[in-house]
Amino acid sequence: MASVGVVNPVARLRSSKRTPLLQVVKTAVAVVAAVLLCRLLIQGPFPTFAAIAALLVVQPSINQSFVKGLERSAGVVLGVVLATGLHFLLGDSVWVVLLVIVLAITIAWALRLTPTSATQVGISGMLVLTAGVVTPNYSADRVLETVLGAAVALVVNAAIVPPVLLRPGHLAVARLARDTAVAFERVAIGLTEGWDHDRWHEALLRARALRQQHAQAEASLGSAQESLTMNPRGGRLRTVLERDVVVAEHLRVLVTRVTGMTRAIRDNTAPDLRDDPMVGRIATEVARIGADLRALGAQVETTELAVTQDLHVGDDPHEPALTAPLAVVRPNSRHWILIGALLEDIRRVREELLGEDD
């Protein structure tokens, strides 16, 4: 009987990759700066709320830090107001603390707060009631601590090498262009060599895998967009990101086309398919498509991230290899449906590569 692997619960405590050391340093700087600033401006106990806010607000992007700061501040304000009000109405006891926690959970659910804000409402209310004597000034100081801590963390994250996550998406687009080129070249080779159904099925599975690769590239571009939002370093880099987004959109169409072409050939292939002279011409044009996409991938990959010129599909210094549509004078009586479908796919791919309108 085969043994079933047991997942070690302790292993779940560790992430697959480390947080960047720079973010760790920025978090430490933000906590220290927030605490020192609060001790200077606010007389009272250790500014716990400021330290927690600084710990939570330093995020991989400026925009995420801003959102976390808002969520944290909103949760603290609601929790402090709730705890202070119930304290003056019901007094100071364990049951009041428990009531605040239960109400905080219920209110957060009713208001559909984000997980960060929802958790913060209960924590803030509990800390206010258990940390010392509750007074209006005490509650106001805790809110001020939170706002100062979040603001300091946001400033630190923006001032010390603001994070830019442009390179992963940039390289993912270049890699997708190369792999899409390989898929078209695979179609050309298969048509030339006369592959059987099984080899075309394998080619189709590999072509379909490009959809997941495109989704991953789009996710990386989304992370890049997130990192440039509210980022003082994002001015010139936004042009590069916009160019990568345009190229990725073209590749989405081309991935769909090469998958459809591969599926059509798999479903309609025959031993005498490659004997048709038109199939050989189609294979030549498909190989040229692959060459154009390889050139595009190389152009994207070698473009420096600091370059601000626009780049679109077809903006190569050399004329694209696919320059003229094919014409069929006399359709093949046996394979005319497949040949016609491939010719239409080539026409649409040509329009996408050259940026022509339908």
Side-chain angles (χ1 to χ4, degrees):
M1 183 176 180
S3 60
V4 179
V6 179
V7 178
N8 183 5
V10 179
R12 296 181 179 272
L13 298 176
R14 302 187 63 187
S15 174
S16 59
K17 58 181 180 180
R18 296 181 186 272
T19 300
L21 179 60
L22 179 60
Q23 186 173 342
V24 175
V25 173
K26 290 198 291 186
T27 302
V29 171
V31 171
V32 173
V35 170
L36 293 179
L37 180 61
C38 287
R39 293 303 295 268
L40 181 64
L41 300 178
I42 304 173
Q43 299 299 321
F46 182 85
T48 304
F49 283 69
I52 295 176
L55 282 169
L56 296 178
V57 170
V58 177
Q59 296 290 318
S61 74
I62 308 301
N63 189 50
Q64 290 175 353
S65 290
F66 182 73
V67 172
K68 286 291 184 182
L70 288 180
E71 291 177 340
R72 166 78 183 172
S73 300
V76 169
V77 170
L78 187 56
V80 168
V81 170
L82 177 64
T84 304
L86 289 181
H87 172 78
F88 286 117
L89 287 175
L90 303 177
D92 186 10
S93 68
V94 174
W95 297 108
V96 175
V97 177
L98 294 177
L99 178 61
V100 166
I101 295 174
V102 172
L103 286 177
I105 296 173
T106 305
I107 293 173
W109 171 80
L111 296 178
R112 297 183 181 180
L113 298 181
T114 63
T116 299
S117 295
T119 303
Q120 194 56 55
V121 175
I123 292 176
S124 299
M126 180 180 61
L127 289 176
V128 165
L129 292 175
T130 58
V133 178
V134 180
T135 66
N137 288 338
Y138 178 86
S139 300
D141 288 345
R142 303 296 76 78
V143 173
L144 181 59
E145 279 182 17
T146 301
V147 174
L148 288 176
V152 168
L154 182 61
V155 171
V156 168
N157 204 21
I160 304 178
V161 192
V164 174
L165 304 178
L166 192 61
R167 183 169 295 278
H170 186 71
L171 297 180
V173 171
R175 190 179 306 113
L176 178 62
R178 292 198 309 271
D179 292 346
T180 305
V182 171
F184 277 105
E185 292 167 351
R186 193 181 298 120
V187 171
I189 294 172
L191 289 174
T192 303
E193 297 181 352
W195 287 355
D196 58 18
H197 181 275
D198 291 340
R199 294 195 67 180
W200 280 115
H201 182 71
E202 179 184 352
L204 178 59
L205 295 179
R206 298 174 70 177
R208 284 173 173 169
L210 292 173
R211 296 174 180 172
Q212 180 63 29
Q213 187 174 343
H214 180 269
Q216 293 172 352
E218 283 196 325
S220 296
L221 292 176
S223 298
Q225 179 65 52
E226 177 78 21
S227 71
L228 293 183
T229 303
M230 302 179 65
N231 194 322
R233 298 172 60 197
R236 295 190 304 168
L237 296 178
R238 286 190 181 90
T239 302
V240 180
L241 176 59
E242 291 171 359
R243 177 211 59 199
D244 288 343
V245 170
V246 170
V247 174
E249 180 59 25
H250 283 290
L251 292 174
R252 180 187 63 80
V253 177
L254 297 178
V255 166
T256 300
R257 289 296 164 197
V258 74
T259 303
M261 292 174 71
T262 308
R263 182 177 62 247
I265 299 173
R266 184 204 63 175
D267 294 342
N268 299 279
T269 190
D272 62 338
L273 178 62
R274 68 172 177 172
D275 295 335
D276 191 301
M278 195 63 205
V279 171
R281 295 175 62 190
I282 289 174
T284 299
E285 295 302 316
V286 174
R288 290 175 177 174
I289 294 173
D292 287 339
L293 286 176
R294 279 191 178 276
L296 174 64
Q299 189 178 8
V300 171
E301 189 172 17
T302 57
T303 300
E304 293 295 331
L305 294 181
V307 174
T308 59
Q309 290 82 1
D310 288 336
L311 171 66
H312 301 286
V313 174
D315 288 346
D316 193 274
H318 305 288
E319 184 71 14
L322 187 63
T323 58
L326 293 174
V328 181
V329 178
R330 180 178 298 175
N332 182 284
S333 60
R334 176 176 173 82
H335 305 299
W336 68 271
I337 295 179
L338 174 59
I339 291 175
L342 294 178
L343 289 174
E344 176 63 13
D345 282 326
I346 290 176
R347 182 186 71 82
R348 292 182 177 273
V349 169
R350 178 178 184 274
E351 291 175 349
E352 198 68 31
L353 287 172
L354 300 179
E356 298 177 349
D357 294 330
D358 292 336

